[in-house]
Amino acid sequence: MADKAFRIVRAGPGSRPVMLAIAGDSAAGKTTLTRGLVQALGPDNCVSICVDDYHRYDRAERRDLPFTALHPDCNHLDIMEQHLQLLASGQPILKPVYDHSTGKLARPERVEPNRYIIVEGLLPLHSKLSRACFDVTVFLDPPEEIRRGWKLARDTSARGYSREQVLAELDRRTSESEAHIRPQRSHADIVVRFAPIAVRDDPPGTPLSAELVLRPTIRHPDLGGVLANHRTMHVKLCRDTDGRPVDTLHVHGYVPTEESRSLEKAMWALLDQPGDVPDGLGVLGAEQRSEPLAITQLLLLFHMLDAA
Amino acid sequence: MADKAFRIVRAGPGSRPVMLAIAGDSAAGKTTLTRGLVQALGPDNCVSICVDDYHRYDRAERRDLPFTALHPDCNHLDIMEQHLQLLASGQPILKPVYDHSTGKLARPERVEPNRYIIVEGLLPLHSKLSRACFDVTVFLDPPEEIRRGWKLARDTSARGYSREQVLAELDRRTSESEAHIRPQRSHADIVVRFAPIAVRDDPPGTPLSAELVLRPTIRHPDLGGVLANHRTMHVKLCRDTDGRPVDTLHVHGYVPTEESRSLEKAMWALLDQPGDVPDGLGVLGAEQRSEPLAITQLLLLFHMLDAA
């Protein structure tokens, strides 16, 4: 179906899943961001899929190919579009499975649609048709040196690569990342960047700050009143790198927990939801917590609940 | 999409694949029938898939289940319907793969639609929506004792089962076959039965005769003139087992090759196709040939070319 026709169908009556896309390069933090959202929405109301499962070739086959896993031709993107449309209209799919630990394509798995569907991966916002499936779209945009560090740490520990292999792969991917991953940034409603603040010397161990570009393509919560008393978080009107007007929400890594918690409560109140701020936000690892991550997740949660 | 809506879409303008369904129980002869059709249509114009690939559980998982692979609940029939609709509207699919030799579910494979698509398996005609995808539908209906012999021979040689296992499985499946496979017979445009003729004592080695129930649900070729001079083939008006009026085409196993060949030529002429009768029809195995099978395949070929 053409993208416009599908948008019209989606906008019609009937209860359909709320769909959030989280796009970004390898090791940009998609899984970490997703995990907290699933936890907060409740695993019973929510399903998350990774569209890197739509890889057309396994790791061994890719060795002989002139492109990397980032290239559209290396993925069944038309099938991904099909499946996103099916999920967006409330139908189940039989999703392919790429096993990152072995690099092999495995038995597919059935995915039932649910009230909330989070779709993360390298190329979920690649085409007009795929974008038409989403209610909210996010692009993760960490500084390149930070992402490289994350990728090195993960791929050498969890995916069985050597340090040299990861570095070589990162170089091999640079041009394809520029050509195919980064352009999705301009299609996102929200661009999320976790980074140290340039102008400060944070003490070691300070969590990264979050800089969120909020495009007026969706209706964001009115944070003006909520942020009035916060010195470490603020919204600023500015121009994006392409010149388009945007709001930018800064959440500093050194934000005191009590300040962050009060913002979370205020944002939660804006949503008019029962109960307290849900658990599971801001979790980085077994022991680590990041307030900027929690605020980011809460904003996404706001949009998902608001769309429902 | 509802089945009627989909039939209307299919009947609309645009060139869409011609789709043939061949339904029938395990070892009813579906693959043999299909092989000759693919050969005759030309592998470049034609794709065949087996919908038993939509098994929901692998062989090991099925051991603990209260039903067999014949049961609708043992298959992703809704996904099969989705994929049939996609193919019928000219879109590719990522088809699951069930490996009969190992009994495992494997990496899915991409299937591009083609001019002709043959879909064989246990349950392709199970639902209204799946049936709406086809131009021509066939049910294979061999006598049970013949099918059991075929299944024993195949499953003990090619699928790694012992004789006792196959016999036990046949018994286990009887009630589900009655409940889920056989009802598809009444939805087929053509019912094909290969069997010895009851009233004759054919010499050993005589191929099975074919009895084809031709339902007036599609426009069959006018075989009256073509068959006027044939003693071993005839069309008869009669009532089907359910009382509905049908034509029945008999092709006797002892039909002399020259007689069968002249019928094939006459049928081919009815189609107004260039060239001679295509190769590959009637092939049973490496060395064996069956004229009744060749005539059956030619009739199906007639319908596929006619629908195109």
Side-chain angles (χ1 to χ4, degrees), chain B residues 42-157:
Chain B
D44 290 347
N45 304 314
C46 183
V47 62
S48 75
I49 66 168
C50 174
V51 288
D52 302 348
D53 282 320
Y54 292 84
H55 283 343
R56 193 187 272 257
Y57 307 102
D58 66 17
R59 197 180 290 166
E61 290 162 347
R62 287 204 303 273
R63 270 186 214 121
D64 300 325
L65 293 171
F67 44 67
T68 77
L70 268 52
H71 199 285
D73 291 350
C74 201
N75 294 274
H76 294 292
L77 289 187
D78 52 351
I79 307 280
M80 177 192 82
E81 286 173 358
Q82 260 179 20
H83 287 193
L84 292 176
Q85 288 174 77
L86 287 163
L87 287 173
S89 40
Q91 291 181 65
I93 58 166
L94 205 55
K95 186 183 64 61
V97 170
Y98 177 77
D99 183 340
H100 277 289
S101 64
T102 62
K104 290 198 173 145
L105 290 155
R107 162 182 180 167
E109 67 187 9
R110 191 181 170 95
V111 176
E112 301 288 343
N114 207 328
R115 201 159 161 191
Y116 302 102
I117 301 179
I118 303 174
V119 176
E120 52 110 345
L122 294 166
L123 294 163
L125 303 178
H126 180 72
S127 72
K128 260 194 178 178
L129 183 47
S130 66
R131 296 193 290 272
C133 298
F134 294 105
D135 300 276
V136 188
T137 56
V138 174
F139 184 80
L140 275 175
D141 187 25
E144 194 58 8
E145 66 278 14
I146 289 193
R147 186 182 72 82
R148 288 172 75 99
W150 288 343
K151 185 160 172 70
L152 256 177
R154 183 196 63 191
D155 287 5
T156 54
S157 65

Side-chain angles (χ1 to χ4, degrees), chain A residues 32 205-208 280-291 293:
Chain A
T32 303
T206 302
L208 299 174
L281 303 179
V283 174
L284 271 181
E287 300 282 304
Q288 286 177 287
R289 198 187 139 82
S290 152
E291 297 307 327
L293 174 62

Side-chain angles (χ1 to χ4, degrees), chain B residues 188-215:
Chain B
D189 300 313
I190 302 172
V191 179
V192 177
R193 187 180 187 86
F194 291 104
I197 296 179
V199 296
R200 275 178 60 99
D201 263 334
D202 286 330
T206 303
L208 299 173
S209 297
E211 185 185 297
L212 278 66
V213 173
L214 311 179
R215 291 221 176 82

Side-chain angles (χ1 to χ4, degrees), chain A residues 61 76 78 82 92 107 110, chain B residues 61 76 78 82 92 110:
Chain A
E61 289 162 348
H76 294 292
D78 52 351
Q82 261 178 21
R107 163 182 181 168
R110 191 182 172 96
Chain B
E61 290 162 347
H76 294 292
D78 52 351
Q82 260 179 20
R110 191 181 170 95

Side-chain angles (χ1 to χ4, degrees), chain A residues 28-266:
Chain A
K30 304 183 291 289
T31 311
T32 303
L33 188 59
T34 301
R35 201 185 298 125
L37 291 172
V38 171
Q39 181 74 18
L41 289 165
D44 290 346
N45 305 314
C46 182
V47 62
S48 75
I49 66 168
C50 174
V51 288
D52 302 349
D53 282 320
Y54 291 84
H55 282 343
R56 192 187 273 259
Y57 308 102
D58 66 16
R59 198 181 288 167
E61 289 162 348
R62 287 204 303 273
R63 272 188 210 118
D64 300 324
L65 293 172
F67 44 67
T68 77
L70 267 52
H71 199 285
D73 291 351
C74 201
N75 294 275
H76 294 292
L77 288 187
D78 52 351
I79 306 281
M80 176 193 82
E81 286 173 358
Q82 261 178 21
H83 288 194
L84 291 177
Q85 287 174 79
L86 288 162
L87 288 174
S89 40
Q91 291 181 66
I93 59 166
L94 205 56
K95 186 183 65 60
V97 171
Y98 177 77
D99 183 340
H100 277 289
S101 65
T102 62
K104 289 198 173 146
L105 289 155
R107 163 182 181 168
E109 66 186 11
R110 191 182 172 96
V111 176
E112 301 289 343
N114 208 329
R115 200 160 163 191
Y116 302 103
I117 302 178
I118 303 175
V119 176
E120 52 111 343
L122 294 167
L123 295 162
L125 302 179
H126 179 73
S127 72
K128 259 193 178 180
L129 183 47
S130 66
R131 296 193 291 270
C133 297
F134 294 104
D135 300 277
V136 187
T137 55
V138 174
F139 185 80
L140 275 176
D141 187 26
E144 193 57 8
E145 67 278 13
I146 288 193
R147 187 183 71 84
R148 288 172 75 100
W150 287 344
K151 187 163 171 65
L152 255 177
R154 184 195 62 190
D155 287 4
T156 54
S157 66
R159 299 191 178 175
Y161 289 95
S162 73
R163 188 182 161 78
E164 291 65 38
Q165 281 175 319
V166 181
L167 291 174
E169 186 65 16
L170 274 164
D171 289 344
R172 215 160 80 88
R173 288 181 172 203
T174 304
S175 64
E176 288 179 17
S177 178
E178 281 298 323
H180 307 295
I181 308 298
R182 284 207 63 77
Q184 296 177 104
R185 184 185 185 281
S186 72
H187 296 295
D189 299 313
I190 301 172
V191 179
V192 177
R193 186 180 188 88
F194 291 104
I197 295 179
V199 294
R200 273 179 60 99
D201 263 333
D202 285 330
T206 302
L208 299 174
S209 297
E211 183 184 299
L212 279 65
V213 173
L214 310 179
R215 291 221 176 83
T217 43
I218 53 173
R219 192 188 67 85
H220 295 284
D222 181 7
L223 295 174
V226 170
L227 291 177
N229 300 318
H230 293 274
R231 290 159 301 118
T232 50
M233 293 180 268
H234 49 85
V235 175
K236 217 166 61 182
L237 175 66
C238 48
R239 289 197 182 279
D240 194 12
T241 45
D242 60 4
R244 289 188 291 173
V246 292
D247 272 315
T248 311
L249 170 64
H250 287 270
V251 185
H252 292 179
Y254 54 87
V255 57
T257 306
E258 59 275 22
E259 215 172 294
S260 157
R261 289 293 166 95
S262 85
L263 174 60
E264 288 169 30
K265 274 190 192 157

